[in-house]
């Protein structure tokens, strides 16, 4: 019977021992050898206080005092030094019987270390969640909040202390940003669905105080060891600013920055889409703005931009919302007209052309060249329709080019005459003087006609000069002279744009050069100045002296 008790005593996985109330080991089992490294004989010759960690001595003595009073000690923990010098954490259950203490203990060192690691890791994760820049809410399987970080508090308006224990949907109230009425709370979805997936979307969150925030959320279920869902973690951020920036980027990627119309990239995408939809008949219109280069070169790009904006506004005013209007080049536009016949397109373009022709910028009437073609057969590619429309526009521009240039020249001269009454008289007088000069010099007929025309057009560039300066009767200051000196170059650009001869444009450019090199804009001297320009210089100086103008 004693042998059986000894066998059970020694094979027990617990640390079993008998000691007296003074702390001397009387009997220990074999498990002590494994844990501390001492033999049972070595241990039975010692007092257990010899093994206790110095910091645990006082607590151990208190436990021994309690035992000496015949009171049991349960779940007491202290540290014992093993033979190799390391300490093991021992948890005790001790029962006194007279002068002896019967105790069962276990080595919980690994458990203690693991628990410490778990606690440290938990604190580290908690600190991470609380400190990241996104809002974080952790909830259990029932959807009750366990944790919120500062960002989540700021976005939702709830403090963590008041939110913990509440259902997520009480604190985190969201609706679908795409469809508020049909939107469902994504948190509930994740918690209550069996087949979980990570969800990521943009929602509208209503805070505790009633304000709304546009947020992007990611909801992830937390899995246990058995792959069962034990809760969720919500990570969300305020994306109002980033969504706005993204919208701006998307807008700019498909729109022309100047006019606000669609750009070429969008037009090409839309062309393919319309081809697939096949909503026949489909008409494509190509529009080219006349005198665009002239406007930019003479009046500046600000005026050119205004011209494009005005024409864009007029296109929008005559088109339907379903029509696609795009700026596909510097001065070129395209319109896609779904379900529009050739006759309907012709009427639309006529209204547009009439409206445009009534507008003026810096004295110039606006005008366009256009071409259009209609797709009536589903087998025809819209790209071919576009090419035909473009060819028609180009042909119209060529045919009408001379008339447009002549009208533009007339309008520029009229605009100049409106600015200053004496400019018309000056141009006529200089032209007459050039004819008289040609007769007196016995010039050939071709030279005479060229000189007479130059006399009439030499100051056409003055259209860019402020009328205040043109009509100024007192001395002209240096800043005004800077403005005046622009007109030969402006005249040169106008005449080149109107396809006058290169010679006429060149003579216009140099008619304010001086024999001694003091003229402008090039500072030419002597015979480097074309003789035609020298004739104009003499004629207009003489005319100015006798005309009585300011």
């Amino acid at each position: 019977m004693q042998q059986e008790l000894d066998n059970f005593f020694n094979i027990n996985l617990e640390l079993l021992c008998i000691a007296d109330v003074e702390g001397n080991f009387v009997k220990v089992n074999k498990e002590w050898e494994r844990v501390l490294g001492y033999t049972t004989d070595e241990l039975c010759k010692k007092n257990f206080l010899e093994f206790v960690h110095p910091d645990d001595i006082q607590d151990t003595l208190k436990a021994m005092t309690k035992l000496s009073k015949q009171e049991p000690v349960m779940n007491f923990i202290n540290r014992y030094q093993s033979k190799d010098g390391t300490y093991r954490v021992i948890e005790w259950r001790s029962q006194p019987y007279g002068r002896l203490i019967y105790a069962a203990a276990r080595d919980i060192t690994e458990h203690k270390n693991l628990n410490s690691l778990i606690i440290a890791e938990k604190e580290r994760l908690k600190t991470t969640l609380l400190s990241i820049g996104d809002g974080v809410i952790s909830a259990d399987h029932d959807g009750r909040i366990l944790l919120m970080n500062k960002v989540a508090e700021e976005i939702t308006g709830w403090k963590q202390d008041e939110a913990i224990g509440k259902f997520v949907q009480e604190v985190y109230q969201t609706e679908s940003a795409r469809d508020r009425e049909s939107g469902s709370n994504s948190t509930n979805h994740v918690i209550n669905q069996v087949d979980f997936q990570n969800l990521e979307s943009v929602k509208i969150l209503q805070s505790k105080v009633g304000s709304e925030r546009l947020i992007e959320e990611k909801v992830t279920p937390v899995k246990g060891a058995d792959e069962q869902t034990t809760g969720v973690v919500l990570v969300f951020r305020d994306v109002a600013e980033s969504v706005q920036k993204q919208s701006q980027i998307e807008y700019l990627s498909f729109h022309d920055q100047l006019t606000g119309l669609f750009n070429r990239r969008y037009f090409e995408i839309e062309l393919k889409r319309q081809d697939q939809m096949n909503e026949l008949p489909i008409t494509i219109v190509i529009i080219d703005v006349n005198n665009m280069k002239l406007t930019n070169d003479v009046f500046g790009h600000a005026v050119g931009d205004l011209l494009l904006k005005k024409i864009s506004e007029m296109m929008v005013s005559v088109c339907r919302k379903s029509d696609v209007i795009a700026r596909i080049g510097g001065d070129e536009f395209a319109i896609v007209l779904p379900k529009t016949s050739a006759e309907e397109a012709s009427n639309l373009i006529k209204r547009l052309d009439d409206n445009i022709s009534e507008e003026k910028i810096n004295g110039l009437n606006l005008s366009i060249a256009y071409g259009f073609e209609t797709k009536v057969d589903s087998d025809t590619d819209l790209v071919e329709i576009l090419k035909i429309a473009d060819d028609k526009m180009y042909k119209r521009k060529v045919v009408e080019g001379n008339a447009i240039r002549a009208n533009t020249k007339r309008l520029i001269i009229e605009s100049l005459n409106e600015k200053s009454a004496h400019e018309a008289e000056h141009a006529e007088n200089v032209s007459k003087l050039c004819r008289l000069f040609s007769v007196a010099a016995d010039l050939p007929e071709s030279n005479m006609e060229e000189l007479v025309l130059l006399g009439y057009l030499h100051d056409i560039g003055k259209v860019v000069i402020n009328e205040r300066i043109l009509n100024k009767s007192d001395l002209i200051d240096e800043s005004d002279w800077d403005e005046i000196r622009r007109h030969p170059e402006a005249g040169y650009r106008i005449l080149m744009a109107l396809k006058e001869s290169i010679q006429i444009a060149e003579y216009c450019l140099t008619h304010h050069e001086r024999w001694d090199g003091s003229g402008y804009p090039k500072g030419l001297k002597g015979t480097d100045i074309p003789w035609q320009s020298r004739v104009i210089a003499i004629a207009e100086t003489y005319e100015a002296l006798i005309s009585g103008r300011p």
Side-chain angles (χ1 to χ4, degrees):
M1 198 174 185
Q2 182 62 45
Q3 185 62 46
E4 288 177 354
L5 289 175
D6 286 344
N7 288 341
F8 279 113
F9 187 78
N10 285 318
I11 68 169
N12 202 299
L13 293 175
E14 301 288 339
L15 296 166
L16 302 179
C17 70
I18 301 171
D20 60 28
V21 291
E22 282 78 27
N24 299 305
F25 281 120
V26 175
K27 187 174 184 177
V28 295
N29 68 347
K30 291 290 184 180
E31 188 66 12
W32 284 94
E33 292 185 358
R34 187 189 67 79
V35 173
L36 295 185
Y38 294 100
T39 65
T40 55
D41 290 340
E42 289 174 320
L43 288 171
C44 286
K45 295 175 182 178
K46 295 182 180 291
N47 188 293
F48 60 70
L49 288 174
E50 296 179 36
F51 303 95
V52 176
H53 192 285
D55 292 343
D56 297 339
I57 292 289
Q58 289 301 319
D59 289 337
T60 304
L61 290 172
K62 289 179 182 178
M64 290 174 67
T65 301
K66 192 174 181 181
L67 289 166
S68 67
K69 295 178 180 179
Q70 300 301 301
E71 296 177 15
V73 173
M74 311 298 284
N75 303 322
F76 174 71
I77 296 174
N78 60 6
R79 288 166 289 179
Y80 269 47
Q81 188 176 38
S82 61
K83 196 169 186 177
D84 62 6
T86 59
Y87 282 91
R88 310 297 294 180
V89 181
I90 309 297
E91 183 181 17
W92 295 88
R93 286 189 177 188
S94 304
Q95 180 71 43
Y97 287 98
R99 298 287 300 169
L100 293 178
I101 301 169
Y102 292 84
R106 66 179 59 178
D107 181 0
I108 62 169
T109 307
E110 302 304 329
H111 173 76
K112 196 76 173 176
N113 291 340
L114 181 60
N115 197 46
S116 297
L117 287 173
I118 291 172
I119 291 171
E121 185 66 19
K122 184 178 178 181
E123 286 302 311
R124 187 160 41 249
L125 290 173
K126 183 177 178 181
T127 302
T128 301
L129 290 176
L130 292 174
S131 61
I132 64 175
D134 293 339
V136 177
I137 295 178
S138 176
D140 62 19
H141 182 269
D142 295 324
R144 292 185 182 274
I145 293 174
L146 302 172
L147 175 145
M148 285 178 69
N149 68 352
K150 292 291 183 185
V151 180
E153 288 182 340
E154 188 273 323
I155 293 176
T156 64
W158 288 79
K159 293 295 183 184
Q160 178 177 249
D161 291 345
E162 58 185 355
I164 287 178
K166 292 186 181 296
F167 288 107
V168 172
Q169 56 267 35
E170 293 181 58
V171 175
Y172 184 76
Q173 298 182 14
T174 61
E175 294 177 275
S176 167
R178 182 175 295 177
D179 185 357
R180 296 186 66 153
E181 291 185 2
S182 63
S184 61
N185 190 298
S186 59
T187 310
N188 291 341
H189 172 81
V190 171
I191 292 172
N192 297 324
Q193 294 298 312
V194 175
D195 184 19
F196 292 107
Q197 291 182 343
N198 289 2
L199 302 178
E200 194 165 2
S201 58
V202 175
K203 299 290 178 70
I204 296 170
L205 182 142
Q206 189 173 58
S207 73
K208 185 181 180 183
V209 296
S211 62
E212 292 185 342
R213 306 279 284 268
L214 191 64
I215 61 153
E216 183 181 60
E217 70 171 19
K218 185 172 184 181
V219 188
T220 307
V222 178
K223 302 284 189 178
D226 56 359
E227 287 300 308
Q228 294 298 308
T229 299
T230 60
V232 291
V233 173
L234 295 93
V235 180
F236 53 97
R237 68 182 70 179
D238 189 321
V239 292
E241 186 177 346
S242 61
V243 166
Q244 185 180 15
K245 286 180 180 177
Q246 182 63 29
S247 297
Q248 289 174 347
I249 291 169
E250 289 176 0
Y251 179 87
L252 291 174
S253 68
F254 287 123
H255 288 78
D256 174 55
Q257 196 167 356
L258 175 66
T259 63
L261 300 177
F262 291 115
N263 58 17
R264 186 178 192 93
R265 180 186 175 200
Y266 183 88
F267 173 74
E268 290 172 351
I269 294 171
E270 183 63 19
L271 209 61
K272 293 178 182 177
R273 191 181 73 86
Q274 290 286 352
D275 224 0
Q276 292 170 353
M277 291 178 65
N278 222 20
E279 295 182 335
L280 302 179
I282 302 173
T283 300
I284 295 180
V285 183
I286 298 295
I287 293 173
D288 188 272
V289 180
N290 293 323
N291 297 323
M292 192 68 229
K293 186 176 187 307
L294 172 66
T295 304
N296 282 331
D297 289 349
V298 177
F299 299 106
H301 286 275
V303 177
D305 289 349
L306 181 61
L307 169 63
L308 293 173
K309 288 178 182 178
K310 276 186 173 289
I311 289 178
S312 300
E313 290 168 3
M314 291 179 195
M315 285 191 283
V316 171
S317 69
V318 300
C319 289
R320 304 161 299 187
K321 288 184 178 180
S322 58
D323 301 333
V324 177
I325 312 168
R327 183 186 176 195
I328 59 174
D331 56 358
E332 196 170 23
F333 297 84
I335 306 175
V336 181
L337 303 169
K339 297 182 180 179
T340 305
S341 66
E343 183 181 356
E344 291 170 325
S346 179
N347 292 334
L348 181 146
I349 294 168
K350 186 178 185 307
R351 290 200 311 274
L352 175 62
D353 202 21
D354 290 344
N355 291 349
I356 287 175
S357 63
E358 292 175 2
E359 288 286 332
K360 283 187 177 183
I361 289 182
N362 281 33
L364 292 180
N365 278 97
L366 307 187
S367 68
I368 58 172
Y370 59 85
F372 67 90
E373 183 65 13
T374 304
K375 174 179 175 177
V376 293
D377 184 356
S378 59
D379 293 333
T380 307
D381 194 327
L382 267 183
V383 174
E384 287 300 315
I385 299 296
L386 172 66
K387 187 177 182 302
I388 295 170
D390 192 57
D391 289 343
K392 286 183 176 180
M393 180 277 295
Y394 182 74
K395 288 175 183 176
R396 183 184 293 271
K397 197 172 182 74
V398 171
V399 170
E400 297 178 352
N402 290 334
I404 291 170
R405 285 191 290 274
N407 186 54
T408 301
K409 182 163 64 177
R410 176 183 61 79
L411 289 170
I412 290 174
I413 293 170
E414 286 179 1
S415 177
L416 176 58
N417 294 341
E418 287 173 6
K419 280 186 173 184
S420 178
H422 61 74
E423 286 298 331
E425 184 181 357
H426 175 67
E428 290 289 346
N429 289 342
V430 172
S431 184
K432 288 176 183 177
L433 286 170
C434 286
R435 185 176 293 278
L436 290 172
F437 184 95
S438 300
V439 172
D442 197 22
L443 294 177
E445 182 71 22
S446 60
N447 289 134
M448 178 187 290
E449 293 306 318
E450 184 181 63
L451 202 57
V452 169
L453 179 60
L454 177 61
Y456 185 71
L457 296 176
H458 74 283
D459 271 347
I460 194 170
K462 283 185 177 178
V463 73
V464 303
I465 300 175
N466 190 293
E467 58 188 282
R468 173 190 63 79
I469 299 173
L470 290 175
N471 297 311
K472 199 169 186 178
S473 58
D474 54 350
L475 291 174
I476 296 175
D477 58 33
E478 190 58 34
S479 63
D480 289 342
W481 270 116
D482 290 339
E483 183 78 8
I484 290 170
R485 292 188 186 104
R486 292 175 53 211
H487 83 274
E489 294 179 73
Y492 173 82
R493 289 195 295 269
I494 291 171
L495 295 174
M496 290 296 287
L498 296 176
K499 298 193 182 302
E500 290 290 349
S501 71
I502 295 175
Q503 288 77 20
I504 289 284
E506 186 67 31
Y507 304 152
C508 177
L509 177 66
T510 56
H511 80 276
H512 274 288
E513 301 291 349
R514 296 292 177 261
W515 188 262
D516 62 358
S518 63
Y520 59 89
K522 294 183 177 181
L524 300 178
K525 290 183 178 182
T527 55
D528 288 341
I529 308 167
W531 67 264
Q532 293 89 339
S533 301
R534 286 181 266 150
V535 170
I536 293 296
I538 295 168
E540 79 161 349
T541 301
Y542 175 70
E543 195 281 331
L545 290 171
I546 66 172
S547 68
R549 67 173 179 165

